[in-house]
Amino acid sequence: TVLRKGRVVVSGVALQGIAPTQLARWMMGQGESDANRVEHSVEKRASSVSAEVDIAAAQKTLSAALLDVCKLCVRSDRGIRVIDGLDLSLRQGEIYGIAGMGGSGQRELAEALAGVRPSDHGKVSLAGKEITGLSTEKRRRMGLALIPEDRLSDGVSPQLSVAENTALNAHHRPSGWLSMRAFFDFARKVVAKLGLAESVYSVPIWTLAGGNI
């Protein structure tokens, strides 16, 4: 069964023998040319994997650490030290996975790196510049972003519209008049870039699916 915008597009069809382009059309509502472009993009991506791996290996060898963490210590909301002397180095293009049981410090680490949570000890550097004492706003201006584990509670204002949440994310002046027309114009551009239906920018953001938030 394939759903699109809350409606059943197709149901009861065996997947064997269905072309990826057809599945893309059912899921995205795209035309033939768009679906073919999706399939071509996937094939092109697969054919270049080996070359990308070689490039990534060279970058890892030659480039300096983009994010560098030294002896970082962080406490949880209950005052327990959940990060104790962490050393971490991340280069451009790398993805660093943190594994562990819930409550083992993953959330506290992410918040400390973003400046949302203070650290007891240690140093954090971004692109060669120490950011340990910088505010969250200054870290964001340097390109550091945080996607919280609970986006609805910690990442947005649930009762505000998509447009208002989008504009708040880009608004930095402490005071002054706000233009709702500018809010919605900005939101339309973001919504269009993400490929969402234009109608969503005026609805409360809590009504969106978790992935869209």
Side-chain angles (χ1 to χ4, degrees):
T1 301
V2 177
L3 296 174
R4 188 173 71 247
K5 297 182 180 180
R7 297 182 179 181
V8 177
V9 177
V10 64
S11 182
V13 178
L15 292 178
Q16 291 82 0
I18 295 178
T21 51
Q22 179 61 65
L23 187 59
R25 284 194 295 273
W26 286 339
M27 295 174 64
M28 306 301 295
Q30 297 172 317
E32 182 73 32
S33 60
D34 292 325
N36 287 335
R37 187 161 55 248
V38 170
E39 184 177 38
H40 175 70
S41 176
V42 172
E43 292 175 350
K44 182 178 180 181
R45 175 72 177 174
S47 65
S48 62
V49 166
S50 59
E52 290 183 1
V53 170
D54 292 339
I55 294 173
Q59 289 178 336
K60 181 177 179 180
T61 302
L62 298 176
S63 64
L66 183 61
L67 178 68
D68 195 44
V69 179
C70 182
K71 307 300 180 186
L72 186 67
C73 299
V74 185
R75 295 184 182 274
S76 67
D77 294 338
R78 296 185 296 170
I80 300 174
R81 181 171 283 184
V82 289
I83 305 295
D84 192 6
L86 174 69
D87 291 324
L88 184 153
S89 184
L90 189 65
R91 292 176 172 79
Q92 183 177 354
E94 290 184 328
I95 298 176
Y96 203 107
I98 306 293
M101 297 288 291
S104 298
Q106 301 97 316
R107 174 184 176 184
E108 289 80 2
L109 172 59
E111 291 178 347
L113 295 178
V116 178
R117 180 182 296 271
S119 57
D120 282 354
H121 179 75
K123 183 175 70 172
V124 179
S125 299
L126 181 66
K129 180 179 180 180
E130 185 175 352
I131 62 172
T132 311
L134 296 185
S135 65
T136 302
E137 176 58 29
K138 290 182 179 179
R139 299 185 195 208
R140 288 184 59 189
R141 291 181 181 179
M142 294 177 65
L144 185 62
L146 170 66
I147 302 176
E149 60 181 42
D150 189 343
R151 295 184 293 277
L152 192 59
S153 297
D154 301 328
V156 297
S157 296
Q159 300 303 324
L160 296 183
S161 68
V162 172
E164 291 167 324
N165 272 278
T166 304
L168 287 174
N169 185 53
H171 180 72
H172 306 302
R173 291 189 302 173
S175 62
W177 292 98
L178 299 177
S179 169
M180 293 307 298
R181 177 179 294 180
F183 269 34
F184 284 101
D185 287 344
F186 182 77
R188 285 189 183 96
K189 293 177 182 178
V190 174
V191 167
K193 185 176 181 180
L194 295 176
L196 302 177
E198 185 175 341
S199 59
V200 305
Y201 69 83
S202 60
V203 303
I205 201 167
W206 68 265
T207 62
L208 301 185
N212 289 333
I213 295 176

